[in-house]
C-alpha cells in the first residue's frame, strides 16, 4: 500500500485542517502537553549518544527535548506528515546538528534500517489507518532490544480538558456523528488491551502500559478559551459549524472560570504511558 493510500485522510487533516491551527497555538499547546511528554520521556530513559526517532514530532518541541537528552554525540530524527508544523520545527531547531526532520508517514515511510536505539512519541501514534503495520514499520528502524516509549490519551470521558468544553458547547451545536473507537484519532488507543495487542502483533515485547493522571493548563482564562475553541474535539466541531461560535464561547468561558486558579486554568488529563522492547 502506498503512503498516500494508507493515511491520506490524516495527511490532509494535518496539512490543511489541524496543522495550521497547531502552528498558531504551538506555544500554548506545548505548555499544556509538556508535563505528559516529559513523563513519557522519563519512562523511555534516553541516554547520551543514542539515536532516537520522534514520531509525530509536530512543531519540534519534543524533538528539541530529545536532542538535549542525547547530547552532541547523539541523533534525533523528527517524523511528521504536517508540512506547516515541520516548517516551524525546522525553524526552531535551526543550527542544531543533532536534529533532522523527515516529512513522511511513519506507517509506510523509510524511517531507518535497524540502527535506532529508541522511538518516542507525544500523542503522535494514534492516527494510523493500520496501527499494527505502522508499529511493524517503526520496529524495522530499531535495533534488536531497542526501546519504544509514548504517551497517548485514555478515554474522552476521562479527559475533562477536552470533555468539559465540548459538553458546555453541546446545546449550541449539532450532535457529533458516532465515532468508531478504533478509527484514527486522539482516542484510538484509549483501550489498553487494544494497544497491547497491536504492539504484540507488530513484534514488540515487554509491553508496559500504565495510567498517568495530571492537571494541565495552557495559561490564563482567555488564552485557554481561545485554544479550546480551536483545537481538540470542540475545535473540530466548530470548524464544521463556525456560525455557532458566538453562542459557544460564553458557555465554554463559564465552564473554564470554574477551573481557574492563580496559576491559570487547570483541567484533568488522563493518559497512558506505554513502553516496549523490540524483539
Amino acid at each position: 500500500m502506498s503512503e498516500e493510500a494508507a493515511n491520506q485522510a490524516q495527511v490532509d487533516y494535518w496539512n490543511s485542517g489541524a496543522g495550521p491551527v497547531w502552528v498558531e497555538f504551538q506555544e500554548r499547546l506545548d505548555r499544556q502537553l509538556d508535563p505528559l511528554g516529559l513523563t513519557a520521556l522519563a519512562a523511555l530513559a534516553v541516554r547520551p549518544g543514542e539515536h532516537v526517532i520522534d514520531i509525530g514530532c509536530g512543531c519540534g518541541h519534543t524533538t528539541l527535548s530529545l536532542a538535549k537528552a542525547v547530547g552532541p554525540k547523539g541523533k534525533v530524527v523528527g517524523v511528521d506528515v504536517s508540512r506547516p508544523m515541520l516548517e516551524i520545527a525546522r525553524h526552531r531547531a535551526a543550527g542544531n546538528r543533532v536534529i533532522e526532520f523527515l516529512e513522511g508517514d511513519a506507517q509506510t515511510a523509510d524511517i531507518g534500517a535497524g540502527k535506532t536505539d529508541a522511538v518516542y512519541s507525544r500523542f503522535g501514534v494514534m492516527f494510523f489507518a493500520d496501527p499494527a503495520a505502522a508499529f511493524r514499520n517503526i520496529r524495522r528502524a530499531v535495533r534488536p532490544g531497542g526501546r519504544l516509549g509514548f504517551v497517548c490519551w485514555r478515554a474522552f470521558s476521562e479527559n475533562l480538558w477536552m470533555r468539559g468544553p465540548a459538553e458546555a458547547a453541546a446545546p449550541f451545536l449539532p450532535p457529533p456523528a458516532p465515532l468508531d473507537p478504533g478509527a484514527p484519532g486522539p482516542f484510538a488507543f484509549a483501550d489498553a488491551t487494544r494497544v497491547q495487542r497491536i504492539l504484540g502483533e507488530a513484534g514488540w515485547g515487554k509491553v508496559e502500559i500504565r495510567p498517568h493522571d495530571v492537571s494541565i493548563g495552557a495559561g490564563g482564562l482567555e488564552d485557554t478559551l481561545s485554544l479550546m475553541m480551536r483545537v481538540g474535539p470542540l475545535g473540530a466541531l466548530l470548524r464544521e459549524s463556525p456560525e455557532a461560535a458566538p453562542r459557544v464561547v460564553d458557555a465554554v468561558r463559564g465552564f473554564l472560570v470554574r477551573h481557574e486558579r492563580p496559576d491559570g486554568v487547570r483541567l484533568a488529563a488522563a493518559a497512558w504511558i506505554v513502553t516496549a522492547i523490540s524483539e
Side-chain angles (χ1 to χ4, degrees):
M1 181 182 292
S2 70
E3 182 171 340
E4 181 175 352
N7 280 316
Q8 191 58 42
Q10 290 298 317
V11 172
D12 293 343
Y13 179 73
W14 289 105
N15 277 279
S16 61
V21 175
W22 277 63
V23 166
E24 180 181 351
F25 290 97
Q26 54 98 2
E27 290 184 4
R28 273 173 263 182
L29 285 162
D30 285 337
R31 190 182 311 131
Q32 182 165 263
L33 299 177
D34 201 35
L36 293 149
L38 289 174
T39 301
L41 183 57
L44 186 58
V46 174
R47 296 182 286 271
E50 289 194 313
H51 178 172
V52 184
I53 297 176
D54 184 5
I55 302 292
C57 65
C59 294
H61 181 85
T62 51
T63 315
L64 288 164
S65 296
L66 288 164
K68 290 180 181 178
V70 302
K73 295 184 178 180
K75 181 179 180 181
V76 183
V77 178
V79 182
D80 209 289
V81 298
S82 175
R83 186 168 299 171
M85 295 171 79
L86 284 173
E87 288 177 359
I88 297 298
R90 290 188 173 106
H91 176 75
R92 295 170 86 179
N96 191 321
R97 297 182 180 181
V98 170
I99 294 173
E100 67 177 75
F101 291 102
L102 170 66
E103 181 183 342
D105 180 355
Q107 179 172 318
T108 54
D110 180 0
I111 58 173
K115 296 182 180 180
T116 299
D117 297 296
V119 175
Y120 170 86
S121 183
R122 186 185 75 180
F123 302 111
V125 294
M126 304 94 68
F127 303 96
F128 298 120
D130 186 341
F135 279 102
R136 280 194 295 270
N137 190 51
I138 292 167
R139 187 175 60 81
R140 292 187 191 104
V142 178
R143 63 172 175 77
R147 312 183 311 284
L148 171 70
F150 64 85
V151 56
C152 60
W153 297 118
R154 299 202 323 257
F156 175 73
S157 60
E158 297 181 77
N159 277 281
L160 183 65
W161 80 275
M162 288 184 276
R163 177 174 56 82
E167 289 180 347
F172 310 102
L173 291 166
L179 293 177
D180 175 357
F187 306 106
F189 281 7
D191 182 350
T193 301
R194 179 172 186 255
V195 176
Q196 183 95 34
R197 183 180 69 252
I198 288 168
L199 293 177
E201 290 175 358
W204 295 91
K206 298 183 180 178
V207 178
E208 294 187 9
I209 304 173
R210 62 179 178 86
H212 182 65
D213 297 88
V214 65
S215 292
I216 60 175
L221 177 61
E222 294 305 317
D223 279 348
T224 304
L225 176 62
S226 61
L227 179 67
M228 295 301 180
M229 294 287 288
R230 298 288 301 282
V231 304
L234 176 56
L237 290 171
L238 285 172
R239 283 193 287 277
E240 297 295 325
S241 303
E243 72 283 354
R247 291 175 293 168
V248 165
V249 67
D250 287 336
V252 176
R253 182 184 284 110
F255 165 76
L256 294 175
V257 163
R258 300 197 297 273
H259 299 274
E260 190 175 17
R261 306 188 327 196
D263 60 344
V265 176
R266 308 289 295 184
L267 294 166
W272 298 118
I273 304 296
V274 183
T275 58
I277 303 296
S278 175
E279 295 188 330

